[in-house]
Amino acid sequence: MSKVQVSAFSISIDGYGAGPRQSLQNPLGVGGLALHEWAFATRTFRRMFGQDGGSTGLDEDFAARSFDNVGAWILGRNMFGPVRGPWLDDTWKGWWGENPPYHVPVFVLTHYPRASIVMEGGTIFHFVTEGIQAALERARAAANGKDVRIGGGVAVIQQYLRARLIDELHIAISPVLLGSGERLFGDMDMVELGYRCTEHVSTEKATHVVLQRE
Amino acid sequence: MSKVQVSAFSISIDGYGAGPRQSLQNPLGVGGLALHEWAFATRTFRRMFGQDGGSTGLDEDFAARSFDNVGAWILGRNMFGPVRGPWLDDTWKGWWGENPPYHVPVFVLTHYPRASIVMEGGTIFHFVTEGIQAALERARAAANGKDVRIGGGVAVIQQYLRARLIDELHIAISPVLLGSGERLFGDMDMVELGYRCTEHVSTEKATHVVLQRE
């Protein structure tokens, strides 16, 4: 069954999904990198960045699973890059180099139109200016029966949660404090939205929880 | 070394330390009981309520440790009971029956004066109307070199955190969503306040984290 899902999304003990002051130097905000230590240590993520080795336990299981059956992605503009406002030129092609780790169509939510970019390895960035519903429709069509994964950031996930469009979220709680930034659950009432925790396991590096909509 | 500490304080995945609508029927707010499943399953807590058995693993270690070396407690008015406003009579003596699980002096923060109550088993409830600093001074004196434990609720812990008076917190993250209620970290910047995570381990029932002020 095709799902709309969030996977391998990391938050801190105090609930932040990204640190403050995102920039070219700190794509995940100040301190945000520490959220993802569990992921970066896995075989799946190391391979993605051309490195050998990596962990093979539960963290790896969740990392691998996060890419299973994903037919299209949706990303917020800020997750695609640090550029704000209109696209001044076509230089910026994401944080991930010529061969991004998506390998499927990626729909980037933005207020500013831009032509699609075909990258190496099957990733195509499409820029959607018509809002989250339009992006999801296009992503669903592109996914061709597979899942649509909402990559983030926090604001984008919250918009899809409020619209009750996300079936499942895998959240990793990392043992760090961020102090400020963007809180994933912010003012969301996850119970009222119909979610409950259906799975939770922990490793040395993270507590993994799966939330599903009933 | 004598500390001011919070121990075995449970929060949900979405960060709530208590559910909404506290009442006589729901001392921990609606859904709040689920936060404490890990604790209620332990030998320490079962014994406290006169029951045999109970878990003996990491959850039990944290439960037992939460009572170690505690010389005095501080509780908020709402944690002491559901009564609001002035004390109409002396009927209400806490949620815990004639022999409460404290066995040391307990300082209850309230705006309304009331005479101290001597309970069985060493617990004495004192009512402090002069604010959190005064309560801490009295608790420190009563603790006589042992730790002062801030029992809660959320609003009281937040006041002591903001005043930078808490040395250490043990928080248990339970695998449930509450959706609404009181968020422990609310608008607190725990990094700015000087805390970092110094310990984290997990069981089937909870993720235990220890936060210490540097």
Side-chain angles (χ1 to χ4, degrees):
Chain A
M1 207 3 224
S2 160
K3 291 192 304 271
V4 178
Q5 45 112 322
V6 170
S7 289
F9 196 86
S10 304
I11 65 174
S12 63
I13 294 167
D14 44 351
Y16 295 101
R21 301 187 294 284
Q22 189 202 31
S23 65
L24 198 57
Q25 286 71 43
N26 285 300
L28 302 160
V30 175
L33 211 60
L35 290 180
H36 303 277
E37 273 190 24
W38 72 268
F40 292 140
T42 62
R43 197 174 53 173
T44 289
F45 275 78
R46 289 181 63 86
R47 192 175 290 166
M48 198 182 294
F49 295 102
Q51 295 173 299
D52 290 334
S55 66
T56 55
L58 277 168
D59 290 333
E60 165 59 19
D61 293 348
F62 275 98
R65 181 169 141 181
S66 78
F67 290 95
D68 270 1
N69 200 44
V70 175
W73 287 66
I74 296 173
L75 301 183
R77 164 73 180 266
N78 297 356
M79 202 162 152
F80 179 70
V83 185
R84 301 289 181 269
W87 304 101
L88 297 178
D89 56 45
D90 284 340
T91 315
W92 184 264
K93 295 177 180 176
W95 302 102
W96 308 277
E98 288 301 318
N99 187 353
Y102 301 105
H103 312 298
V104 292
V106 176
F107 296 85
V108 178
L109 291 159
T110 169
H111 294 293
Y112 304 94
R114 179 173 170 183
S116 299
I117 316 173
V118 178
M119 307 293 291
E120 290 173 22
T123 299
I124 308 177
F125 292 116
H126 298 290
F127 299 87
V128 183
T129 55
E130 298 88 0
I132 64 166
Q133 299 272 2
L136 183 54
E137 278 165 34
R138 291 183 60 186
R140 271 215 177 97
N144 200 16
K146 291 190 171 182
D147 290 354
V148 174
R149 179 169 165 187
I150 316 279
V154 166
V156 169
I157 294 175
Q158 289 187 346
Q159 286 177 61
Y160 280 105
L161 283 173
R162 279 201 195 90
R164 298 173 189 251
L165 291 170
I166 299 179
D167 299 303
E168 188 178 304
L169 302 91
H170 157 232
I171 307 293
I173 304 170
S174 293
V176 294
L177 291 167
L178 278 190
S180 59
E182 294 177 75
R183 274 219 169 96
L184 178 60
F185 297 118
D187 59 352
M188 317 291 303
D189 184 332
M190 293 295 284
V191 172
E192 203 267 324
L193 290 172
Y195 294 92
R196 63 189 187 88
C197 178
T198 55
E199 191 178 343
H200 68 106
V201 291
S202 294
T203 68
E204 269 184 37
K205 292 186 190 296
T207 294
H208 299 276
V209 298
V210 176
L211 311 179
Q212 285 184 313
R213 207 150 64 89
E214 288 162 337
Chain B
M1 210 357 227
S2 160
K3 291 191 304 272
V4 178
Q5 45 111 323
V6 170
S7 288
F9 195 86
S10 304
I11 65 174
S12 63
I13 294 167
D14 44 352
Y16 295 102
R21 300 187 296 284
Q22 189 202 32
S23 66
L24 198 57
Q25 287 71 42
N26 285 302
L28 302 160
V30 175
L33 212 60
L35 290 180
H36 303 277
E37 273 191 25
W38 72 269
F40 292 140
T42 62
R43 196 173 54 173
T44 289
F45 275 79
R46 289 180 62 86
R47 191 175 291 166
M48 199 182 293
F49 296 103
Q51 295 173 298
D52 291 334
S55 67
T56 57
L58 277 169
D59 290 332
E60 165 59 18
D61 294 347
F62 275 98
R65 181 168 141 181
S66 77
F67 291 95
D68 271 0
N69 200 44
V70 174
W73 286 66
I74 295 173
L75 301 184
R77 164 73 180 265
N78 297 357
M79 202 161 153
F80 179 68
V83 187
R84 301 287 181 270
W87 304 101
L88 297 177
D89 57 45
D90 284 340
T91 315
W92 184 263
K93 294 176 179 176
W95 302 102
W96 309 276
E98 288 301 317
N99 187 353
Y102 301 104
H103 312 298
V104 293
V106 176
F107 295 84
V108 179
L109 293 159
T110 169
H111 293 295
Y112 304 95
R114 180 173 170 183
S116 298
I117 315 173
V118 178
M119 307 293 291
E120 289 171 23
T123 299
I124 307 177
F125 292 117
H126 298 291
F127 299 87
V128 183
T129 55
E130 299 87 359
I132 63 166
Q133 298 272 4
L136 183 54
E137 278 164 34
R138 290 183 60 187
R140 271 216 176 96
N144 199 17
K146 290 190 171 182
D147 290 354
V148 173
R149 179 169 164 187
I150 316 279
V154 166
V156 170
I157 294 174
Q158 289 187 347
Q159 285 177 62
Y160 280 104
L161 283 173
R162 277 201 197 91
R164 298 173 190 251
L165 291 170
I166 299 178
D167 299 304
E168 187 178 303
L169 301 92
H170 158 231
I171 307 293
I173 304 170
S174 294
V176 294
L177 291 167
L178 280 189
S180 58
E182 295 177 75
R183 274 219 169 96
L184 177 61
F185 297 118
D187 60 349
M188 317 293 302
D189 185 332
M190 293 295 284
V191 172
E192 203 267 325
L193 290 172
Y195 293 92
R196 63 189 186 89
C197 179
T198 55
E199 190 178 344
H200 69 106
V201 292
S202 295
T203 68
E204 269 183 37
K205 292 186 190 298
T207 295
H208 299 276
V209 299
V210 175
L211 311 178
Q212 286 183 312
R213 207 150 64 88
E214 284 162 342

